[in-house]
Amino acid sequence: MHIAILTFDGFNELDSLIALGILNRIKKPDWRVTLSCPSSVVTSMNGVMVHAQSTLAQASEADAVLFGSGMKTRDIANDPGVMAQLNLDPARQLIGAQCSGTLMLAKLGLLNKIPACTDLLTKPWVQEAGVEVLNQPFYADGNVATAGGCLSSQYLAAWVIARLEGLEAAESAMHYVAPVGEKEAYVERAMANITPYLQAVN
């Protein structure tokens, strides 16, 4: 099972790395989570350099793909050379995005007739691409999910785990990362955001 987190230059650390940490709470030999990048090294919006763990081509073959966001996402979404490398198919993959990553989903034609979540800065760009933007942190339709706000990466990660490993595994992963003294409330809120979108597919 391969989950690829698309991570480009100018990426937001909260998007890629929180999802990476939560998804790696699943400890199974066949469970692999990678940062998929267009080059061997990418630099975050705050100057953090990370090494790619997989390529964009490998992400296209992954079981699940998450789009993080970043300062350069709008430029990337308009770069046909990069976008052509993303051969994604919601019929065989779980596909999620947050904040400006939602714009990339829109540009790839993966949000046709599907409303989406994004951050407030990206909202007009996503609307310009013809997508209805919701005022909520998470939404999913079948195998495609979107989230809005940096810390909504936890919801995308929990959704992926719930879809691939079950709700109990998602709750366990969220319980582990939740603040002490707030664990039950934290898990309850996370599950309340994703479970309405699990019932139709389970």
Side-chain angles (χ1 to χ4, degrees):
M1 194 70 67
H2 179 203
I3 299 95
I5 302 171
L6 299 183
T7 304
F8 300 91
D9 270 320
F11 74 92
N12 185 323
E13 303 93 341
L14 294 174
D15 295 5
S16 293
L17 301 181
I18 288 176
L20 180 79
I22 294 173
L23 287 163
N24 271 312
R25 293 310 309 156
I26 301 300
K27 304 297 184 185
K28 296 178 66 175
D30 64 344
W31 184 270
R32 184 167 68 106
V33 186
T34 65
L35 298 179
S36 290
C37 312
S39 56
S40 60
V41 177
V42 292
T43 303
S44 78
M45 61 192 295
N46 292 305
V48 177
M49 299 175 69
V50 300
H51 292 271
Q53 297 169 300
S54 63
T55 64
L56 298 186
Q58 290 170 319
S60 294
E61 298 302 317
D63 300 283
V65 180
L66 296 182
F67 287 72
S69 71
M71 295 175 59
K72 300 180 180 180
T73 310
R74 194 179 189 192
D75 293 334
I76 295 165
N78 290 314
D79 184 336
V82 174
M83 297 296 278
Q85 297 178 59
L86 300 173
N87 300 308
L88 307 181
D89 181 2
R92 62 178 176 80
Q93 296 172 299
L94 297 182
I95 302 172
Q98 74 181 89
C99 299
S100 58
T102 299
L103 179 62
M104 295 186 71
L105 285 195
K107 294 283 189 176
L108 288 168
L110 295 172
L111 295 177
N112 293 335
K113 300 180 181 178
I114 301 175
C117 302
T118 189
D119 65 283
L120 299 180
L121 178 64
T122 309
K123 180 179 178 179
W125 304 339
V126 174
Q127 290 173 321
E128 192 176 82
V131 177
E132 176 191 356
V133 175
L134 303 170
N135 184 32
Q136 61 192 62
F138 180 84
Y139 179 83
D141 186 312
N143 288 345
V144 178
T146 52
C150 297
L151 295 179
S152 65
S153 54
Q154 62 186 307
Y155 300 143
L156 280 176
W159 174 75
V160 168
I161 294 172
R163 287 293 309 275
L164 297 178
E165 290 293 318
L167 195 57
E168 186 176 334
E171 291 174 343
S172 176
M174 292 304 298
H175 189 272
Y176 182 90
V177 301
V180 172
E182 300 178 3
K183 289 188 177 292
E184 286 71 22
Y186 204 88
V187 171
E188 183 179 346
R189 182 177 63 188
M191 295 305 106
N193 277 295
I194 69 168
T195 50
Y197 307 103
L198 300 174
Q199 296 163 359
V201 293
N202 286 343

